[in-house]
Amino acid sequence: MPFRHAPTTDDDWSRLLGPAADATTEGLVVLDATATIRASNLAARLITGVHTPQHDRLAGRGPSDGWFVPRHADGTPIAIADQPGTRAIATGQPVRDVELHFRRFDGSRQYLRANAVPLFADGSDQAYGAVVTFTDVTAFVEAQEALAERERDLALLATHAGDLIARHAADGRIVYAAGGAEALLGFAAEHLVGFWAADVCHPDDADAIRAAHELARDGARSAVSYRITNVRDGREMWLESTVSPVLDEDGAFVEAVTTTRDVTSRKEDELRLRDAEERARRQQALLEEAEAMAGMGSWAADVRANTSWWSPGLFRIFGVDPDGDAGYAAHDRLIHPDDRVAVRGALARAALDGEPFDITYRLIRPDGVERILHGRGAPAERVDGAIRRVWGTTQDVTERQRLEAGRREAEARFRAAFEHAPIGVCVLEFRGPGAGQWVTVNPALAELLGYERNTLLGTRISSVLHPEELPATRERLTALMTGAAERVTAECRMIHADGHSVWTLVTVAAVTDDEGRPAYGIGQIVDITERKRFEGQLQYLADHDALTGLFNRRRFEEELDRVLAGAERYRRPGALLVLDLDGFKYVNDTLGHPVGDELIARLAATLRAELRETDVIARLGGDEFGVILPEVTEGEAAAVAGKLLRAVERDGTVADSSRHARVTASIGLAAFDGTDGLSAEELLVEADIAMYDAKEGGRNRAARSERDGPGPGRHVSRLSWLERIRTALAEDRFVLHAQPFVALARGDDGDPIPSFELLIRMLSDSGELIPPATFLPIAERFDVIPAIDRWVVERAVGLVRREHDRGTPVTLSVNLSGRTMGDAEFAGWLEKLLIDNPVPPGRLIVEITETVAIVNLERARALAETLRRLGCLLALDDFGAGFASFSYLKHLCFDLLKIDGEFVRGLRDNPTDRLVVEAVVAIARGLGTPSLAEFVADSDTLDAVRELGVDYAQGFHLGRPEPVDEALRIAHMGAGRRA
């Protein structure tokens, strides 16, 4: 407690106490450095017996005064250095709760509890004095001494009187006990500390004990009787306790004192005299409550009077009328004959020998239903040592027995399933030094691994695992054993007894003990060797082209990504070749698809033979191949391209008995060196465009990509074509043109509702129209075409609905690419679009080419069904290009056959073309399907197709493609004039 400076005058010392010092009941004195009192408050003078309110008669007194000699509890003086104030000044630390004993001026004993706090001046670490506070605890100490003396007296009296005397805290627990505990309860009195009679008495008497102690806390005295079991001999006895409250001088409850005696004899007399009817009523109420809770019945039998009492629950169990007969005779009559002897014996032993019983037996109720009962019983009352009453409970356990039988049956089924399961089943130890060992295995597992069952038992699962599986298996088993996982499943290899590997699917689930800790693992082990073999085959099929055995496009693009990443990392050069066969369509059309397939397979082998082992070749689709040449210069790549051209020219001839055909190749070459930053997609675009340059340059040649040269217009943005297409989709920079097709029936002015085929164009950055031949091959090659097809279909549906709502109906036809037909989600998307935006029946036609239909036969069927269900039509485009496909018509249902324009274009001069068109028309009529002729370029061709019975025609002679809104406006104006 720091001050600016130490006090010098008496007034300074007095002011240290403050103006409120005399208001407190706690004594306060201020000591100087010599431990002399310099000032005190009124309470200090009153406590020490100096009764002068105005004058401080304590000031000036110090340790040398003989009247004030503090003493320890044992009466010895406290040294001056150990007194609280002196110690606080000397150590500079507060002194807490020191009990002082001394004699006052009047000679009486006094006990004080004192605290001392040192005083410091600013900047000084040496105390110049101390403040000592103290309170008078004389009354408390004397009360304690008196209480101890009283307890000694009570213990002496209780010991000789035979009663048990105890003191109880407010919660009823014993804090002190003395007297006849040994005689009453069978153990020493001090062992009762901490107990409460309500915890150890008969449950029926606990509330009475609690009520007596509640009265004591309210200041009232009471007596309570209760039953308790003597520890020494196990007999039940009655005790009576007188509960008296101990109150302080203010009347507040301090504790309760009980005097307890044995009143067993008296209570037995009282119980015998108690009204039998009241006892029966209470017992019945208790029993009925217990029965309701436990679902059982109870009974009691008077052995001497040969009478019995049944609870309502027991009547229900036995199925008898409560107003009818009950008791031993009724009970005995209903017991199954085979069980009567056992039940009679149990009851007799309980009544005569006092032997409790626990028995299960069968009962045949009056309604003929057999039930299974579980009975328990024991003596309930003795008089003069003889058994007077026997009581017990009976429970219907039929359902429990049924469940138990079901459990045993389930265990038997599990055992049978375990032993005879066609897959491996095992139990693994999860604890102790045997963790990971087989506890048991079934025959299937032993057979799967090629071992005898006993050979596996006691060994660890790790002993049969492939070495490469051990780390992962240890991690999974650790997760199960520590409780981090409840179940794990993994595919892993195990070693058969003969040394070969077995692929298995292992599932292990943890089985926990009663404390929830993993104890065992139940495992199922399935042989998946064949499945893994098939998966390997499927993986091969996923990566390879089925016809040629070469990589397919997906795997090729993965390999190209890998090679480009290596080139970028190590600055290694390389090249990409895209090879397309020239004249392959003619082979298919004239010699048929089987011959074309044979040629593709042969040329694939030829190309593979011309390449290095490190080169990657793939069939990208149709008659197109891709080749990756790692670590070659552009010149070396050009030499490889030349070699491949010559190989195709050499082996590219096919023939049958009457016809032959020859194919060559066009190759696009795109080089890379790891510094150009090209992605695989961009490099493929570059090589693809170069390949088209080779075709345009005369075919049977290779062309290099012109990445940096000015070149013709088509080369300026080669690398950006794919991005330009995607940007056009994102920015909606596509437009639709429409070309009409008209009905040719004689004497008819045509379909009064205009019909058009929608054709797409792309807008350049400058607003110029880009024809579809420029961007659609790239869009199809890089799988952007499905998004374009969806864009066109959505616009077509919107146009049909718009014109219908205007009262100017129109029929529109849209084309779908092969990639869109191969999209498994397209049919669902189209169905949702048409459900959300229904179109009038027959006003939307979806066109697919003959080749696409053949390749995607099942999806073409599904699309036709979807369209027909939603009121739309399906057209087969370019029909007749391959006669080998005619047989597919019987599997497909189309609403319009569009004759390939190659046959229509030469219709006037080529008899073969005329025969083809005539045959297609006949087929269409036989199928009940209209036909349409494309490429009608003049009036002579129009007359020819009309003469052959074609239903519809389309071509420049009938109308060129126009912006769709303009084409619709002109058509509706013409329809209005005709009307």
Side-chain angles (χ1 to χ4, degrees):
M1 183 181 293
F3 292 89
R4 186 175 299 279
H5 54 77
T8 56
T9 67
D10 290 342
D11 290 339
D12 291 340
W13 287 101
S14 296
R15 278 193 293 272
L16 284 176
L17 294 176
D22 286 341
T24 179
T25 60
E26 187 176 31
L28 295 172
V29 297
V30 182
L31 309 180
D32 62 13
T34 66
T36 300
I37 298 174
R38 302 302 301 271
S40 66
N41 70 343
L42 177 60
R45 298 192 288 276
L46 292 173
I47 291 171
T48 58
V50 182
H51 304 288
T52 304
Q54 290 83 13
H55 301 290
D56 190 347
R57 293 182 57 189
L58 291 177
R61 298 183 184 277
S64 61
D65 289 349
W67 69 272
F68 186 71
V69 180
R71 298 176 182 276
H72 294 291
D74 60 2
T76 60
I78 300 176
I80 294 175
D82 293 333
Q83 294 177 13
T86 307
R87 212 161 78 215
I89 295 169
T91 63
Q93 300 293 326
V95 179
R96 309 289 187 191
D97 293 328
V98 178
E99 188 172 294
L100 307 176
H101 169 212
F102 66 96
R103 296 211 175 257
R104 295 166 43 134
F105 288 126
D106 59 6
S108 62
R109 291 189 309 168
Q110 189 173 35
Y111 295 90
L112 302 180
R113 180 169 284 110
N115 296 277
V117 179
L119 300 172
F120 299 93
D122 287 349
S124 173
D125 57 0
Q126 177 62 44
Y128 65 78
V131 175
V132 180
T133 65
F134 52 87
T135 55
D136 190 346
V137 295
T138 304
F140 176 74
V141 173
E142 290 177 347
Q144 282 186 318
E145 291 176 348
L147 181 61
E149 182 65 25
R150 179 184 175 195
E151 288 174 349
R152 287 193 293 271
D153 294 342
L154 288 174
L156 181 61
L157 291 172
T159 301
H160 291 286
D163 288 351
L164 170 65
I165 298 176
R167 290 169 46 212
H168 300 258
D171 63 356
R173 306 219 170 260
I174 296 174
V175 296
Y176 171 82
E182 187 77 31
L184 287 177
L185 303 174
F187 50 82
E190 57 266 24
H191 294 159
L192 290 173
V193 174
F195 281 91
W196 188 23
D199 290 337
V200 297
C201 72
H202 192 286
D204 294 344
D205 302 330
D207 288 341
I209 294 174
R210 295 188 184 98
H213 280 267
E214 284 291 337
L215 290 173
R217 282 195 287 270
D218 292 337
R221 181 179 179 182
S222 64
V224 60
S225 299
Y226 52 92
R227 289 160 289 179
I228 199 165
T229 301
N230 188 288
V231 174
R232 183 171 48 200
D233 56 18
R235 65 187 175 87
E236 184 178 78
M237 56 191 301
W238 277 94
L239 302 181
E240 182 178 78
S241 294
T242 301
V243 185
S244 303
V246 177
L247 308 177
D248 62 15
E249 57 188 16
D250 296 326
F253 176 80
V254 176
E255 62 183 13
V257 175
T258 61
T259 303
T260 304
R261 62 198 61 82
D262 185 350
V263 295
T264 303
S265 297
R266 191 189 78 193
K267 272 296 185 180
E268 287 178 348
D269 293 339
E270 289 176 358
L271 290 174
R272 279 192 293 268
L273 297 175
R274 183 174 295 175
D275 184 82
E277 183 179 349
E278 177 64 18
R279 182 178 60 189
R281 187 189 66 78
R282 291 187 179 183
Q283 287 179 341
Q284 181 175 355
L286 291 173
L287 287 170
E288 287 181 359
E289 182 180 358
E291 289 171 1
M293 296 176 61
M296 63 175 58
S298 57
W299 53 270
D302 190 314
V303 176
R304 294 183 180 179
N306 196 26
T307 60
S308 63
W309 169 87
W310 282 16
S311 71
L314 196 60
F315 282 106
R316 288 193 297 271
I317 291 174
F318 277 74
V320 297
D321 186 354
D323 296 331
D325 63 332
Y328 179 79
H331 177 257
D332 188 69
R333 187 174 62 253
L334 295 174
I335 297 174
H336 193 284
D338 294 342
D339 298 335
R340 282 177 188 159
V341 173
V343 176
R344 289 170 182 169
L347 290 172
R349 286 190 296 274
L352 299 176
D353 302 329
E355 180 181 333
F357 64 85
D358 187 315
I359 188 170
T360 299
Y361 58 96
R362 289 164 293 175
L363 176 81
I364 301 176
R365 299 186 353 166
D367 59 6
V369 175
E370 181 177 307
R371 309 295 292 178
I372 302 175
L373 304 184
H374 182 219
R376 291 188 179 93
E381 183 180 4
R382 293 175 185 265
V383 178
D384 298 330
I387 298 171
R388 174 66 182 273
R389 289 164 53 82
V390 178
W391 73 280
T393 61
T394 302
Q395 186 174 15
D396 188 337
V397 295
T398 307
E399 287 302 310
R400 185 198 304 172
Q401 291 286 330
R402 184 184 62 80
L403 293 175
E404 180 65 20
R407 183 188 64 80
R408 291 192 297 269
E409 183 181 350
E411 288 181 354
R413 286 198 302 267
F414 173 78
R415 175 56 56 186
F418 182 86
E419 292 295 325
H420 302 293
I423 63 172
V425 184
C426 65
V427 178
L428 295 174
E429 176 64 63
F430 273 5
R431 292 181 180 171
Q437 290 183 350
W438 312 95
V439 176
T440 181
V441 299
N442 73 339
L445 180 57
E447 181 180 356
L448 186 153
L449 297 175
Y451 291 95
E452 294 292 332
R453 295 175 70 176
N454 292 336
T455 303
L456 289 175
L457 298 183
T459 63
R460 283 182 168 80
I461 188 174
S462 58
S463 64
V464 298
L465 286 172
H466 191 284
E468 295 177 5
E469 307 288 354
L470 289 175
T473 302
R474 289 194 188 101
E475 183 177 344
R476 296 184 187 105
L477 286 179
T478 299
L480 284 172
M481 293 175 182
T482 59
E486 296 180 354
R487 181 175 178 269
V488 296
T489 299
E491 295 180 357
C492 63
R493 286 164 293 174
M494 292 187 173
I495 305 300
H496 192 273
D498 64 11
H500 76 269
S501 293
V502 179
W503 270 105
T504 60
L505 175 65
V506 180
T507 301
V508 182
V511 178
T512 57
D513 59 16
D514 293 339
E515 298 178 359
R517 297 177 302 176
Y520 297 95
I522 301 294
Q524 294 182 343
I525 302 177
V526 181
D527 186 347
I528 59 170
T529 305
E530 280 300 302
R531 196 197 80 192
K532 296 297 285 187
R533 185 176 65 83
F534 283 125
E535 285 179 358
Q537 293 177 346
L538 290 175
Q539 184 61 48
Y540 177 86
L541 293 175
D543 290 341
H544 292 77
D545 174 57
L547 178 62
T548 63
L550 302 179
F551 281 160
N552 56 22
R553 186 183 189 92
R554 183 192 63 80
R555 178 61 185 275
F556 183 77
E557 290 175 353
E558 290 179 359
E559 291 294 317
L560 183 55
D561 281 331
R562 180 184 61 79
V563 172
L564 287 178
E568 182 176 359
R569 182 174 182 181
Y570 300 107
R571 294 296 185 263
R572 293 172 178 169
L576 170 67
L577 305 181
V578 173
L579 181 150
D580 190 86
L581 298 181
D582 307 322
F584 182 73
K585 184 176 183 299
Y586 179 78
V587 173
N588 274 342
D589 292 346
T590 58
L591 301 177
H593 287 282
V595 175
D597 290 347
E598 185 275 331
L599 177 61
I600 289 291
R602 174 154 45 87
L603 290 179
T606 294
L607 295 173
R608 175 72 269 179
E610 298 293 333
L611 298 171
R612 301 172 299 177
E613 287 293 328
T614 56
D615 298 335
V616 179
I617 181 172
R619 184 186 181 196
L620 302 182
D623 58 342
E624 187 176 28
F625 298 86
V627 178
I628 303 172
L629 302 174
E631 300 188 37
V632 297
T633 64
E634 188 171 7
E636 292 170 338
V640 173
K643 184 167 62 170
L644 296 181
L645 289 172
R646 291 189 293 275
V648 172
E649 187 176 15
R650 180 189 68 229
D651 296 342
T653 302
V654 291
D656 62 11
S657 59
S658 60
R659 291 168 294 183
H660 76 280
R662 185 172 66 87
V663 298
T664 57
S666 296
I667 297 178
L669 187 155
F672 56 86
D673 58 11
T675 63
D676 40 35
L678 291 179
S679 67
E681 189 175 59
E682 291 169 335
L683 198 66
L684 273 168
V685 171
E686 188 175 279
D688 205 49
I689 294 176
M691 181 270 291
Y692 279 111
D693 288 345
K695 284 187 178 293
E696 293 173 5
R699 304 188 178 188
N700 195 19
R701 65 187 62 207
R704 303 181 187 184
S705 67
E706 299 179 13
R707 190 174 303 160
D708 301 321
R714 65 176 179 274
H715 298 306
V716 174
S717 304
R718 289 182 178 201
L719 294 180
S720 64
W721 266 114
L722 184 58
E723 189 60 34
R724 291 172 69 185
I725 295 170
R726 289 173 173 164
T727 301
L729 273 170
E731 298 178 357
D732 202 24
R733 287 199 284 108
F734 286 103
V735 295
L736 291 175
H737 281 49
Q739 184 178 22
F741 55 91
V742 299
L744 301 182
R746 293 188 180 274
D748 192 349
D749 290 335
D751 191 339
I753 297 179
S755 302
F756 296 90
E757 179 180 359
L758 294 180
L759 306 171
I760 193 168
R761 308 288 188 265
M762 188 171 79
L763 287 173
S764 68
D765 294 339
S766 61
E768 296 179 357
L769 289 179
I770 301 173
T774 304
F775 62 86
L776 285 185
I778 297 174
E780 183 147 11
R781 177 173 299 277
F782 294 102
D783 212 22
V784 184
I785 195 68
I788 295 176
D789 284 348
R790 293 192 184 201
W791 184 92
V792 173
V793 172
E794 280 188 307
R795 297 308 184 278
V797 169
L799 286 169
V800 171
R801 286 178 55 82
R802 185 192 73 182
E803 295 302 307
H804 176 75
D805 293 343
R806 289 178 176 177
T808 56
V810 67
T811 299
L812 298 180
S813 176
V814 296
N815 292 276
L816 294 185
S817 67
R819 286 190 179 261
T820 298
M821 280 298 298
D823 182 358
E825 298 178 357
F826 176 75
W829 173 87
L830 178 60
E831 182 170 7
K832 184 177 185 306
L833 174 67
L834 291 174
I835 290 173
D836 295 341
N837 305 275
V839 298
R843 294 303 148 213
L844 179 66
I845 303 174
V846 175
E847 297 186 23
I848 61 174
T849 65
E850 177 189 11
T851 304
V852 167
I854 294 170
V855 173
N856 300 277
L857 184 60
E858 291 304 319
R859 286 186 179 158
R861 281 182 186 168
L863 180 63
E865 292 173 0
T866 299
L867 291 170
R868 191 167 288 109
R869 187 172 66 254
L870 298 172
C872 301
L873 306 177
L874 184 65
L876 187 63
D877 197 8
D878 295 340
F879 187 76
F883 279 97
S885 63
F886 274 21
S887 62
Y888 286 94
L889 284 177
K890 64 183 179 181
H891 301 293
L892 300 171
C893 295
F894 291 93
D895 302 292
L896 179 66
L897 290 180
K898 298 185 71 173
I899 304 170
D900 190 353
E902 291 294 327
F903 299 110
V904 177
R905 183 182 288 123
L907 190 59
R908 293 175 301 169
D909 305 320
N910 191 321
T912 301
D913 290 343
R914 186 177 182 89
L915 288 173
V916 170
V917 172
E918 190 174 359
V920 171
V921 171
I923 291 171
R925 286 183 176 175
L927 296 172
T929 303
S931 58
L932 183 148
E934 300 178 303
F935 293 5
V936 176
D938 50 46
S939 59
D940 291 341
T941 305
L942 180 61
D943 291 340
V945 295
R946 179 181 281 119
E947 180 182 344
L948 290 174
V950 176
D951 299 294
Y952 295 90
Q954 180 182 8
F956 285 177
H957 178 66
L958 298 170
R960 291 178 175 272
E962 298 283 351
V964 65
D965 287 335
E966 178 66 15
L968 292 176
R969 184 186 66 80
I970 294 172
H972 291 316
M973 286 178 57
R977 286 195 296 271
R978 288 194 299 273

